[in-house]
Amino acid sequence: MNFSISNLQALAALLLCTLLGFAFSGGSTETTGQGATGAPTADGFERKCGNCHRGGNYGEPELEVLFALDGNDPADALTSYVPGQTYRVSLTVGSTVQSAAGYGFQLQVLTDQELPLTAGTLSDPADGSQVSEATATMRNYVEQSMTSTDSVFTFTWTAPAAGTGSVNIHAVGTLVNGLDGADGDNGSNTPLVLKLSEEGATSVADFTPLSASMSPNPVFASTQVQVNVEIEQGGTYQLGIHDLSGKQLRHTAVELTAGPVTQSIPTDGLRAGAYLVTLEGRGARWVGKLLVR
């Protein structure tokens, strides 16, 4: 029997949805190693809950995200965040059509960039929630840890450091019928995206973009990579290598002069995979994707 690429892709999607249906209580990242918020990645976009959980009569999940300081103040909607501030977050999943037998969700916070990085820290999930890492993207998510009859989930988010700029909260929900499999459920086809601006600091959006490129790219490990960049203002710049979650793996300060500059980056010790390279200084910033074979 011959299978085309499209046949194999369809079969893989079916198997993935079957896994999600039978192991819904564990959450998407725990079950599949992938995120499902529809957020942008270095290679495109994540899938969404609605790709598998479909065919139900609950309609599109309705989501609401509220924040409280120190877990004591009344929860409210936010349009901006204070760098380093810790917020207690509550996410409600609901239906405007009829109540579901169970509820699920997934949420992550990313920087507002073409190649987004994880913004801040998710922690302290209440019963029914967990913080998980997606092995496919090495990003952290908060999601349900079991099929919940309570449609409200709570956890903590510590905002990123000053200078991060605007961040985007990407959230999805799932309304399930409580039966085996994903059919008869409804998952988000249109993720909720909330933009929070940064209070009281220069944001990433205010940085002047640097014009730069890397070569060779892809590269074999232990090979020097050259960053070719046009520097408008000479001075001290911060050069860093990050994984796709935004975790900094290497950092060095470099002195660059104005004009065309070539800066070497050692890749020894890096495993095969995708990385983000950042160069920042003098009010300018560049982010590039590096592939190591």
Side-chain angles (χ1 to χ4, degrees):
M1 180 180 294
N2 295 322
F3 285 91
S4 66
I5 293 177
S6 59
N7 291 144
L8 293 174
Q9 289 174 333
L11 179 59
L14 177 61
L15 291 174
L16 178 60
C17 290
T18 301
L19 282 173
L20 286 174
F22 282 103
F24 168 78
S25 62
S28 174
T29 57
E30 183 180 62
T31 306
T32 69
Q34 301 179 29
T37 68
T41 68
D43 300 313
F45 293 88
E46 295 178 357
R47 57 190 177 79
K48 293 164 284 189
C49 292
N51 294 146
C52 293
H53 293 277
R54 57 193 179 192
N57 298 314
Y58 306 109
E60 180 77 9
E62 296 285 331
L63 305 180
E64 181 180 47
V65 180
L66 299 177
F67 303 80
L69 295 178
D70 301 325
N72 296 317
D73 298 339
D76 200 358
L78 286 186
T79 57
S80 62
Y81 70 90
V82 177
Q85 176 67 60
T86 296
Y87 299 89
R88 192 66 185 169
V89 186
S90 65
L91 183 147
T92 303
V93 183
S95 169
T96 59
V97 180
Q98 60 178 317
S99 298
Y103 303 87
F105 81 104
Q106 189 179 82
L107 178 147
Q108 68 171 323
V109 189
L110 300 174
T111 56
D112 188 25
Q113 303 170 28
E114 183 177 355
L115 293 174
L117 309 175
T118 294
T121 304
L122 295 165
S123 62
D124 194 23
D127 290 345
S129 302
Q130 64 186 5
V131 175
S132 302
E133 182 181 78
T135 55
T137 59
M138 299 179 69
R139 289 177 173 174
N140 286 331
Y141 303 76
V142 60
E143 61 186 6
Q144 85 281 345
S145 60
M146 62 183 70
T147 302
S148 177
T149 56
D150 188 347
S151 62
V152 180
F153 303 88
T154 62
F155 50 92
T156 293
W157 176 61
T158 300
T164 300
S166 296
V167 302
N168 293 314
I169 296 172
H170 300 263
V172 288
T174 309
L175 306 165
V176 302
N177 57 17
L179 303 176
D180 288 337
D183 288 338
D185 302 336
N186 286 112
S188 294
N189 293 299
T190 304
L192 174 67
V193 181
L194 298 177
K195 183 184 291 293
L196 303 181
S197 61
E198 178 184 345
E199 294 185 10
T202 302
S203 71
V204 171
D206 296 326
F207 280 79
T208 301
L210 288 170
S211 177
S213 62
M214 285 183 291
S215 63
N217 189 17
V219 66
F220 290 100
S222 302
T223 302
Q224 291 280 341
V225 176
Q226 306 295 325
V227 176
N228 304 301
V229 58
E230 185 72 28
I231 298 294
E232 293 187 5
Q233 297 185 51
T236 302
Y237 285 75
Q238 307 302 318
L239 180 64
I241 298 180
H242 312 254
D243 62 25
L244 294 186
S245 73
K247 179 180 179 182
Q248 185 170 272
L249 305 177
R250 298 183 183 179
H251 171 267
T252 185
V254 293
E255 293 293 328
L256 302 179
T257 58
V261 173
T262 298
Q263 178 66 41
S264 297
I265 306 176
T267 62
D268 54 295
L270 293 180
R271 297 181 178 179
Y275 298 87
L276 298 177
V277 178
T278 60
L279 182 64
E280 181 179 313
R282 309 295 292 178
R285 193 171 194 267
W286 170 76
V287 179
K289 179 182 174 184
L290 173 65
L291 296 177
V292 178
R293 292 176 174 173

